[in-house]
Structures are given as structure tokens and as C-alpha cells.
Amino acid sequence: MPVLEVESLEYKYPTGVSALGGVSLAIEPGERVALLGPNGAGKSTLILHLNGILLCQQGEVRVDGDRVEKRNLAEVRRKVGLVFPNPDDQLFMATVAEDVAFGPRNMGLDEDEVDRRVGRALEAVGLPGFEERMPYHLSTGEKKRASIATVLVMEPDVMVLDEPAAGLDPRGRKGLIELLKGLPCALLVATHDLAMAREVCSRVLILDGGKLAADGPVDDVLADTELLLEHGLA
Amino acid sequence: MSQTSERIREPSVLDRVDDRIKVLCVVAFVAAVALLPDGAWTRFGALAGLLLLAYLLGRVPLLWALKRLPLLLPVFLLVGLSAWISSRGESGMGTDRFLSVLVGASMSLLALALMAYNPGPDNMLRALQFYFRGSFLVTLLTMTHRYIVVIVAEARRMLRARDSRGQPPRVLDRARVAGSMVGYLFVRSLQRAERVGHAMEARGFTGVYPRGRVRPLRWTQLAAGLTFCAAMAAVVVIP
Ligand SMILES: Nc1ncnc2c1ncn2[C@@H]1O[C@H](COP(=O)(O)OP(=O)(O)OP(=O)(O)O)[C@@H](O)[C@H]1O
Ligand SMILES: [Mg+2]
């Protein structure tokens, strides 16, 4: 059974902008999927639906076969982790350790377990020893890693990252790719970085104008220059 | 705002007091100041001395605190105004009352400024959460603090961007720029607040800050805190 399914999802912002016009997709456990598309395609809007930040107006999202609704949000948010594009939005506590602990504490885990998980998550993203640092004073790359740790620590089944490579220097980007490759969960990565998509993912979705324009193996989709040109990706 | 908690300083006597006890003492202190009878100048003096002692023990720069006094300007004006109004009636507000309110307000503010310096806003909020777990007011305060930090950071970035492009020569144009910046800052803060809110929700936040590990309160600290409260009560009650 897919861990994450989206069916005929439509969404119109209160301003009247129709951002999603019937999107359907499914992600299997452990699968690595890239979400490509030009600016304004609706990627971020789609992502906000995946753990119930936005609730479906039309269609539905299912996590582990359960329809995402108000009543099961806590469960859904434990299983689907979102990493937001701007780490300054994601990191809001006084220290890195507190920030990483925020999710597990909301899950009601006991403090020993929280400590263990925080240590493991910081280790996994390459920030051991950063516990007491202030999030606002980290470098962009470190902030990115810390943001990933804040979600990884919840041990989600799927991690959804919105533009994780934005603002990183080449080394930071390379490090991020290695980090993503090593993550244990399924991944959905919205990005404009085709090379990263190729390295990290096995499957690619192209979203344009709120509709899916392609869904296939990474090598096939990225080899189709005409398709990429048509959707402003090459 | 965020700077206060990052200041690196040598540990002082004040740092050895549990943050929760500090908060308790400040609340007792402010209450005592507020309850002192008008014109009880000896007792006002004693409490002021105590406050000064705390500043010295904590090695808090007094100038830093005094800079916060202008925050009281509205209070001064309000008290002044009501003093003036009631002085025209029979039961005129005496000079004693007027001065007592002003002195009391200043001392309370300086006590709060002390908190803002040590333990700093983050720890102070954490201490409040210890006493009022899940209270709406504490969550509100915490959010306010969080968003003020965000808005100040946003304003700094905008000012820097403006300065790097230079100022328009005409004063009127400058005023217009300032006006639209305020509006823009408001919208940007709202958008940012929304995004931060999303990020919090996405990690399971439902309105109450998770408590985290609660260090047990040492009984010596608690005893000291309660003694301080008792002393405060005595200052008020004993004529
Ligand atoms: N809060 C909002 N209110 C109104 N319209 C919005 C809002 N957020 C996005 N939109 C609109 O919805 C559409 C989809 O935007 P979205 O942010 O999902 O695109 P995106 O694929 O993430 O783009 P980018 O690659 O630039 O991040 C755009 O036309 C955008 O203008
Ligand atoms: Mg986006």
C-alpha cells in the first residue's frame, strides 16, 4: 500500500487563484520522488496539503490509507514530515536542541527518548555538538541541516522537502545530496535542481499550472528535452 | 531582543538562583511595591536598595536598564493627567500619591528589566510555563516574543536594503518611503507569521508549548524564594 496518496486534489486560494487543478499521485514506502515544475506551478501548495496544513477543498489525501482529516492530524504529522523552504521559518526555538526536540515533545515522548532522538538526528545531519547553538546564527547550510533534523527526529515515514538546495554553495549542496541519499524514509523533494533530482531520486513528477504533466523514472523524464523545455525546466 | 540571551558573561551570584525562583521573587517584589501605602518612603527606599543590590549581584549594567525607563512615559503622562484632573476637585490627589505611583512604576519596570537581562526572555517564559502550564496567557506571551524577534529581524533587513540604495533627497519622498515600509513590514510580518505557524503545526504543535524536561526545584532555592516572598509581605503589612 502506498504511504502517501493524493487523489484529484484541487485547491483555490481565497484570492481566487486556482493553484491545483486535480492532482493525483501515490508514493510507495521508501520511494524517492522529485517534484519538478516552474515557479508558480503549485508545488508548495501541493506540499502544504500532504500533512494537513491546508485541508482539501476537492479530492483527498491519504496517509497509510487513512484520509487526512482534522481528527487524525496528529497521526498524519508524525508520519509525514515537512521541511519548509526557508529555514528561518522552520527554526523558532532558542537553541538547536530545543528546536529539534519540539516535534518529539509535541508527540508526547518522554524526555529520555527525546534526548536520544535529538542526539541521533543531529548526528545524522552532521551537526553533532550543535545542541546549544542559536538557530539564527547558523550558516545557511547548517540551518538547512538543522531544519532537516527537526523533521527527521520525528522518524516520519515520508519526508517532504520544499526546495532544500536553495541558497546552498556547491559543497553545501553536495553534502545535502549525500544526506538525503542516506535518509531512511520515503522522500518527496520539490526542487529546481535537476542534477540533484537525478542523484537522489528514482522517479520524477512534473507539475505545471496545477496539473501533473509527467510521472516516470528519472532517467526517462530527464532525458526528454522537449518535455523539459515545454515546462520551463531546461 | 534575541541579543540579551546571547550575551556572554561571567556567571554572577544571580545566575546561581533558579530562574523560577527569580520570577517568583520579581512578582513578589512588584506586588509589594504596588501595595505599599502612599508616601511610605522609608519602605520604598528599602525596596529600591534591594533592587540595587540585585543589580549589583547580577552585574547588570544600570545604564542598560535605565534606557528602558522611557517605556514608562505613557504611565507618567496618564498619572500626571489624572493628578491634575483630581487636584481640581475637593479630594485632590496628593503629591504623595502622585510620587508614589511614579516611583513604584519605575521600580517595577526596573525589576522587569532585570528579568529581561537575567535570566532573559526565553528563560523567563520557560519559568512562567513551569507555573502556568498550558495557560493561554503564557502561550500568548511566548508567541508575542517569538514574533517580535521575527518582526525586528525583518525590519532590520528592510532598513539595510533601503540604506544600501540610498535615501531620496526630498523629505517628502523620504516620508513616503517610510510610510510604505511600515505597511510592507506589516504584510511581510503577517506572511512570515503564517509560515512560522505552518512550520509549527507541521511538527504537531496544537497551541501549547511542550514542556520539556522539568528540573526539580531544589528545596534550598524554594525556601529562599518563599522567605523573600514572606519578607515582601512583611514590608507591606508591618506599619
Ligand atoms: N498564500 C497565497 N495566496 C494566494 N495565492 C497564492 C498563495 N500562495 C501561492 N499562491 C499562488 O498559487 C500558485 C501556486 O503557487 P506555489 O507557491 O504553490 O508555486 P510553486 O510551484 O511552489 O512555485 P515556486 O517554484 O516559485 O516555489 C501561484 O500562482 C501563486 O501565486
Ligand atoms: Mg514553492
Side-chain angles (χ1 to χ4, degrees):
Chain A
M1 186 174 57
V3 273
L4 189 63
E5 288 171 279
V6 177
E7 201 177 300
S8 323
L9 177 61
E10 294 178 23
Y11 190 82
K12 195 182 257 184
Y13 278 102
T15 50
V17 177
S18 168
L20 297 174
V23 174
S24 300
L25 59 94
I27 294 176
E28 298 295 329
E31 206 179 8
R32 271 101 210 286
V33 184
L35 178 62
L36 307 181
N39 291 133
K43 302 182 295 293
S44 300
T45 309
L46 172 63
I47 285 174
L48 289 178
H49 281 87
L50 299 181
N51 80 355
I53 301 293
L54 295 179
L55 290 172
C56 306
Q57 293 169 340
Q58 289 287 323
E60 63 180 44
V61 174
R62 286 188 296 271
V63 173
D64 265 349
D66 278 339
R67 202 189 134 98
V68 175
E69 283 166 352
K70 272 230 168 67
R71 58 165 181 89
N72 60 4
L73 283 182
E75 181 78 2
V76 164
R77 287 171 183 169
R78 202 175 53 68
K79 290 181 178 164
V80 181
L82 295 194
V83 179
F84 288 81
N86 183 353
D88 288 322
D89 298 338
Q90 178 107 25
L91 304 170
F92 42 75
M93 300 295 280
T95 65
V96 171
E98 293 243 349
D99 221 308
V100 176
F102 182 80
R105 281 182 182 151
N106 282 327
M107 285 158 62
L109 297 179
D110 74 69
E111 282 301 305
D112 290 334
E113 175 66 10
V114 170
D115 283 350
R116 259 196 304 277
R117 284 195 183 202
V118 168
R120 245 185 319 189
L122 286 176
E123 187 80 42
V125 299
L127 295 179
F130 274 63
E131 279 85 353
E132 294 310 314
R133 300 278 291 271
M134 310 267 158
Y136 345 98
H137 291 288
L138 301 180
S139 76
T140 311
E142 290 163 347
K143 281 184 189 169
K144 275 273 144 86
R145 288 166 178 277
S147 314
I148 293 175
T150 64
V151 174
L152 189 61
V153 74
M154 298 173 77
E155 302 183 354
D157 298 335
V158 192
M159 194 188 287
V160 182
L161 301 103
D162 199 351
E163 300 194 25
L168 292 184
D169 65 13
R171 183 160 35 140
R173 178 177 161 279
K174 213 179 274 169
L176 176 76
I177 289 174
E178 289 311 313
L179 168 60
L180 293 182
K181 279 160 101 173
L183 291 180
C185 47
L187 289 181
L188 178 66
V189 187
T191 183
H192 298 294
D193 184 339
L194 301 192
M196 183 173 97
R198 199 191 303 271
E199 278 204 60
V200 176
C201 304
S202 55
R203 181 176 149 208
V204 171
L205 306 172
I206 295 181
L207 190 70
D208 196 356
K211 293 204 163 73
L212 270 195
D215 179 351
V218 66
D219 294 326
D220 298 358
V221 177
L222 295 188
D224 192 340
T225 324
E226 209 167 306
L227 178 74
L228 295 180
L229 275 174
E230 189 184 337
H231 298 290
L233 296 169
Chain B
M1 277 246 153
S2 58
Q3 268 79 354
T4 44
S5 43
E6 310 160 19
R7 193 177 294 111
I8 295 166
R9 36 189 164 79
E10 291 274 295
S12 64
V13 180
L14 222 49
D15 287 314
R16 269 189 257 141
V17 182
D18 192 294
D19 294 341
R20 294 164 287 188
I21 297 301
K22 284 180 213 159
V23 168
L24 182 70
C25 291
V26 165
V27 170
F29 180 85
V30 170
V33 167
L35 293 174
L36 276 190
D38 296 337
W41 297 122
T42 341
R43 287 184 265 169
F44 270 114
L47 289 185
L50 211 55
L51 187 60
L52 188 65
L53 185 68
Y55 268 79
L56 291 177
L57 286 180
R59 280 186 253 122
V60 185
L62 241 135
L63 197 66
W64 181 88
L66 289 176
K67 276 201 215 133
R68 270 126 193 98
L69 269 186
L71 283 178
L72 275 185
L73 214 59
V75 179
F76 281 61
L77 288 177
L78 206 69
V79 175
L81 192 69
S82 55
W84 178 68
I85 290 172
S86 55
S87 70
R88 298 189 309 171
E90 264 310 286
S91 59
M93 188 192 210
T95 337
D96 266 1
R97 167 127 202 90
F98 178 68
L99 285 178
S100 299
V101 171
L102 290 192
V103 169
S106 308
M107 280 166 60
S108 301
L109 189 82
L110 287 173
L112 290 174
L114 180 64
M115 285 280 97
Y117 185 87
N118 178 350
D122 290 318
N123 294 327
M124 191 163 101
L125 288 167
R126 212 164 297 148
L128 281 173
Q129 279 164 27
F130 172 78
Y131 292 114
F132 306 102
R133 161 100 181 124
S135 117
F136 174 71
L137 190 68
V138 175
T139 299
L140 193 71
L141 280 175
T142 313
M143 292 289 191
T144 308
H145 173 240
R146 162 72 203 165
Y147 286 140
I148 284 176
V149 171
V150 165
I151 291 168
V152 168
E154 201 80 60
R156 276 215 193 102
R157 270 199 294 273
M158 267 172 71
L159 286 175
R160 207 179 297 149
R162 181 202 65 182
D163 291 345
S164 71
R165 285 183 291 171
Q167 284 266 29
R170 282 175 44 213
V171 176
L172 196 68
D173 288 339
R174 257 184 252 175
R176 197 172 305 141
V177 170
S180 71
M181 272 180 71
V182 170
Y184 197 57
L185 185 65
F186 181 68
V187 173
R188 273 187 35 180
S189 314
L190 277 185
Q191 288 174 338
R192 194 134 224 278
E194 191 186 6
R195 292 200 307 267
V196 173
H198 283 166
M200 296 175 82
E201 268 184 68
R203 288 197 270 153
F205 183 68
T206 50
V208 177
Y209 268 80
R211 189 205 279 256
R213 190 184 294 286
V214 181
R215 269 176 303 114
L217 199 51
R218 298 235 316 270
W219 71 266
T220 38
Q221 298 258 348
L222 187 62
L226 292 178
T227 311
F228 184 85
C229 291
M232 288 298 113
V235 169
V236 175
V237 176
I238 296 168

